[in-house]
Amino acid sequence: MRTGPVIAIAAVAVAVIAIGSYMIDFDVTEEGSLPDVDVAVEGGELPEVDAEVGTIETGTTTETVEVPDVDVDVDTKEAQIELPTVEVNPPEDDG
């Protein structure tokens, strides 16, 4: 599977999602209000809790471990590919 087109499509998808917030224009046509609510509350009491907690000690130690020596050679070449384009037109501001 070629990774170039997949990366290009992912980049376009991210761009479309990022620009999507400009695609909606909300205009408030009527003010709203919250309902009137009367609330009566009696005082409460928290429970008493006895807790015993352990301790955590952190530190470092030096160990010798075997680490693989990996050499990677990648051959690359330039190629022209066709990428999708996206035109974004946000709504005009009425206010």
Side-chain angles (χ1 to χ4, degrees):
M1 183 168 158
R2 299 182 139 203
T3 58
V6 173
I7 292 173
I9 291 171
V12 169
V14 168
V16 168
I17 291 169
I19 295 172
S21 64
Y22 294 108
M23 297 302 293
I24 300 173
D25 182 23
F26 291 104
D27 293 322
V28 177
T29 58
E30 185 177 325
E31 294 294 323
S33 64
L34 295 175
D36 294 331
V37 177
D38 293 327
V39 177
V41 178
E42 294 182 17
E45 190 174 315
L46 293 175
E48 291 185 23
V49 177
D50 290 331
E52 294 181 21
V53 296
T55 60
I56 298 174
E57 295 180 16
T58 60
T60 59
T61 182
T62 303
E63 296 288 332
T64 302
V65 295
E66 214 174 290
V67 179
D69 182 18
V70 178
D71 295 323
V72 177
D73 294 325
V74 178
D75 295 329
T76 61
K77 65 178 182 178
E78 288 189 9
Q80 290 186 347
I81 60 171
E82 189 172 326
L83 298 176
T85 60
V86 177
E87 184 177 331
V88 177
N89 298 315
E92 295 181 17
D93 190 14
D94 294 334

